[in-house]
Amino acid sequence: MSQVKNVLKLIGLYFKVNLASALEYRSGFLIQAFGMALSNGTFVFFWWVAFTQTGGRIGGYDFNDVMFIWALTSTAFGASHILFANMNRITRLIVSGELDTYLLQPKDVLISLLCSKTSLSAWGAFSYGFVLIALTQGRSPMAWLMFLTGVITGGLLMTAICVTAHTFTFYFGDASLMGNMAQEFIINFCNYPEGIYKGFVRVLLLSIIPASFIVHIPLKLARSFNATLLLALLAFSFMYCLLAYKFFYRGLKRYESGNLIITRL
Amino acid sequence: MKIKKYLTVVRISFQNAFVYRSNALGGLVFYALFIFVFFNLWRAIYQSGEAAGYSLNQIIWYLCMTELIVFGCKTGIFSEMNEDVKSGSIAYQLNRPYHYVFYQFSNALGTMFFNLIIYGVLAVVLGLIMVGPLPDYKLSMLPFGLFSGMLGILINFFLMMTLGFTAFKLEDNLAFFLIYQKLVFMLGMFIPVEFLPKWLQNVAVWLPFSYIAWAPAKLIVDFSWELFWRVVPVQVCWAFIAIILAIFMYSYGVRSLQAHGG
């Protein structure tokens, strides 16, 4: 228990330092956050046009359902990139030998590595989801509760998927393409109604690319709460993250230092 | 001859793109992913039949073509302009025996040409796998659609370059790029203009964005001479305006350029 507390404390500390550093460049920070929110916002228009054409439902979802999954994807993505933005650089750090810096620190290597960078534009994605939920789900307490639950589980799952993909670098060399693909796949499958996919893709969404657990199950819970499904969501998220964590440390044993001398400021 | 040096640049950049062809692998996967997701989405939308005059078959081919133009045009020209201007490295290129704007265009042309070939093959393969060939398609009309596609690529390239040159005056111009990109997405790339509300269609006609992806894709999947004469002259005008704008922004910006250090 104290270990979990320590990890949370470390994440909190990194967050404070990263935020203070981001606020040093206020105009850049605001422009990037605004740009990301605007970029996401234009897709509301796309969905509005699409639903105007069908006049009802697409893949079993109505307009508000789609807005829920968009909001959740956006905020979960934002949260994961505010706290763990370095996940996208894992391959680069391994290949260039910059991982040495983290190995010398008296804290959890993976957590230190993930938290030591933040993304400014992620704040736009993070806040955009809240605005969209407030505008489309109104005061529905269950929608808000499942949205907030989904932000935590979804954010952690997105990070775990990215970590898993980049960890392959320890085994096969540069896996940056796999890392980018993992992220693109997860975002694309989260942003569209589950019902538009059939067969094998549905299986993928419940396993390797767990988009169903990131957004579609929280939506189901928001619309019709089911305690067993919630437990399944929490258990799956925990297991996936634990496996990603173990996989990284197993891979780390294969890491060979390149004796690179660098300074971390 | 003056044009010879630019043709050499095109040739070298094409050779470079070919040598580093594995770089394109990731892009091909993303292209296939987008088409797959949108194929599923449009299939769900089309459960009720035809929409805005497009059949499902046509809309998937339309999407393959618009994505082809956007993926094929990916040259990173905006970020390159930004980087050149902000880092001051543009100063090194001022005294070289070429016009910076046309050098960048020639350099991008080789890459675009290579991209269009590989994405083009993938687009045709994906289209055939997902929905099969377009019924009653007149292959003889394809060159006219491709000509419109070339004009769309020209408009897009020089508008992006113009936006990149705003770095001469603005500290952070990323928001312009994001807004431009989304306007292209929404006014033709993801949704054909015919799907938009009437008032927006009337506005889109006067803007360059729908002439980048919508006009060529529509001409390729559903060619008519009436449409050709309606959109191609407008594309020529926008291409001309975009080139002039890029040259103007460059000349205007470079006059106030201050480079420090060495």
Side-chain angles (χ1 to χ4, degrees):
Chain A
M1 199 61 200
S2 72
Q3 244 183 333
V4 176
K5 220 170 144 183
N6 277 340
V7 166
L8 292 175
K9 222 169 135 182
L10 182 67
I11 294 173
L13 215 64
Y14 265 113
F15 171 73
K16 266 202 275 186
V17 174
N18 284 334
L19 183 63
S21 140
L23 288 175
E24 280 296 310
Y25 303 95
R26 277 184 198 84
S27 66
F29 172 69
L30 289 173
I31 286 172
Q32 289 206 40
F34 171 73
M36 180 63 110
L38 181 86
S39 168
N40 286 350
T42 49
F43 285 93
V44 175
F45 173 73
F46 168 79
W47 283 107
W48 174 70
V49 172
F51 276 100
T52 312
Q53 289 297 324
T54 59
R57 302 175 84 81
I58 297 174
Y61 285 24
D62 63 20
F63 182 73
N64 276 351
D65 292 340
V66 172
M67 290 304 106
F68 183 94
I69 59 170
W70 268 84
L72 183 47
T73 307
S74 182
T75 302
F77 175 88
S80 68
H81 281 75
I82 288 169
L83 295 172
F84 311 121
N86 230 10
M87 64 175 126
N88 297 317
R89 292 178 67 238
I90 295 176
T91 293
R92 205 178 121 191
L93 294 173
I94 298 169
V95 172
S96 65
E98 288 175 63
L99 206 59
D100 292 12
T101 329
Y102 299 95
L103 296 175
L104 296 172
Q105 286 173 5
K107 292 287 176 190
D108 189 292
V109 178
L110 181 58
I111 304 296
S112 295
L113 165 68
L114 291 175
C115 297
S116 59
K117 198 172 187 296
T118 191
S119 158
L120 301 184
S121 60
W123 283 94
F126 182 75
S127 40
Y128 169 77
F130 279 95
V131 174
L132 200 56
I133 282 284
L135 290 174
T136 59
Q137 313 298 314
R139 291 182 186 166
S140 162
M142 194 48 83
W144 276 99
L145 187 64
M146 287 308 121
F147 170 72
L148 295 172
T149 309
V151 169
I152 297 168
T153 53
L156 288 172
L157 279 172
M158 283 182 183
T159 310
I161 293 159
C162 204
V163 168
T164 307
H166 282 284
T167 298
F168 280 103
T169 302
F170 289 124
Y171 298 90
F172 311 117
D174 193 335
S176 52
L177 178 63
M178 200 187 279
N180 293 340
M181 270 165 51
Q183 195 154 52
E184 281 294 331
F185 271 68
I186 206 73
I187 291 170
N188 272 288
F189 284 118
C190 281
N191 276 337
Y192 299 93
E194 201 180 19
I196 66 171
Y197 305 109
K198 292 184 172 71
F200 178 65
V201 181
R202 290 289 277 271
V203 178
L204 277 182
L205 299 188
L206 286 162
S207 53
I208 302 168
I209 310 168
S212 291
F213 287 95
I214 296 174
V215 290
H216 302 299
I217 290 178
L219 173 69
K220 280 190 185 95
L221 288 165
R223 298 294 178 248
S224 155
F225 184 75
N226 177 329
T228 319
L229 195 58
L230 177 64
L231 279 175
L233 168 68
L234 296 175
F236 179 87
S237 307
F238 176 75
M239 283 309 292
Y240 202 108
C241 292
L242 187 68
L243 286 173
Y245 185 84
K246 297 271 181 208
F247 185 52
F248 176 83
Y249 276 94
R250 213 178 153 150
L252 189 59
K253 285 183 187 157
R254 304 169 66 98
Y255 178 70
E256 287 173 18
S257 167
N259 294 322
L260 178 74
I261 299 170
I262 47 165
T263 315
R264 222 177 128 219
L265 299 169
Chain B
M1 211 171 126
K2 260 186 171 182
I3 201 162
K4 207 174 166 189
K5 58 191 172 194
Y6 295 110
L7 288 176
T8 309
V9 177
V10 174
R11 184 171 51 80
I12 292 170
S13 88
F14 180 81
Q15 281 171 343
N16 270 340
F18 184 76
V19 170
Y20 298 105
R21 55 191 177 275
S22 58
N23 287 350
L25 184 70
L28 291 175
V29 176
F30 294 139
Y31 179 88
L33 170 71
F34 284 130
I35 298 293
F36 176 74
V37 170
F38 276 92
F39 164 65
N40 283 287
L41 182 66
W42 282 108
R43 194 175 53 182
I45 293 173
Y46 268 75
Q47 272 176 351
S48 52
E50 202 179 83
Y54 287 81
S55 64
L56 176 63
N57 198 309
Q58 280 177 323
I59 202 86
I60 298 304
W61 277 104
Y62 174 89
L63 209 69
C64 288
M65 292 305 125
T66 56
E67 295 277 353
L68 169 64
I69 291 166
V70 171
F71 272 82
C73 282
K74 256 189 191 166
T75 57
I77 189 69
F78 175 80
S79 47
E80 251 176 65
M81 297 293 98
N82 248 336
E83 189 53 35
D84 278 0
V85 173
K86 284 179 184 169
S87 68
S89 65
I90 197 168
Y92 295 109
Q93 310 210 33
L94 295 178
N95 57 354
R96 291 188 181 166
Y98 52 65
H99 192 288
Y100 180 75
V101 171
F102 295 113
Y103 164 75
Q104 287 293 352
F105 178 62
S106 315
N107 194 29
L109 209 57
T111 314
M112 285 196 281
F113 189 50
F114 177 78
N115 283 348
L116 286 169
I117 293 171
I118 56 163
Y119 286 112
V121 172
L122 184 64
V124 172
V125 171
L126 286 175
L128 289 173
I129 291 172
M130 284 174 183
V131 286
L134 282 160
D136 306 324
Y137 189 69
K138 288 181 193 136
L139 206 61
S140 56
M141 294 298 139
L142 185 63
F144 298 101
L146 294 179
F147 175 67
S148 168
M150 271 166 47
L151 290 170
I153 289 169
L154 269 183
I155 299 170
N156 185 48
F157 181 86
F158 283 103
L159 285 182
M160 294 264 267
M161 195 180 230
T162 305
L163 289 179
F165 283 138
T166 56
F168 277 121
K169 291 283 166 198
L170 299 165
E171 195 188 333
D172 203 327
N173 54 357
L174 182 71
F176 284 141
F177 172 70
L178 291 170
I179 293 168
Y180 170 81
Q181 195 190 37
K182 295 303 169 282
L183 283 167
V184 176
F185 281 4
M186 291 304 147
L187 298 178
M189 190 183 127
F190 286 158
I191 337 166
V193 171
E194 293 84 351
F195 281 70
L196 303 174
K198 201 75 197 157
W199 64 267
L200 192 53
Q201 285 186 38
N202 293 334
V203 175
V205 167
W206 295 100
L207 300 171
F209 313 107
S210 55
Y211 295 97
I212 292 168
W214 167 77
K218 171 83 178 167
L219 276 171
I220 289 171
V221 300
D222 188 18
F223 184 85
S224 74
W225 284 111
E226 186 272 324
L227 181 71
F228 181 82
W229 290 118
R230 186 152 53 92
V231 296
V232 170
V234 184
Q235 281 187 299
V236 172
C237 289
W238 276 118
F240 184 69
I241 292 169
I243 294 169
I244 298 292
L245 261 177
I247 294 171
F248 171 75
M249 284 296 286
Y250 169 74
S251 325
Y252 177 69
V254 92
R255 256 181 273 151
S256 55
L257 179 74
Q258 288 184 16
H260 303 279

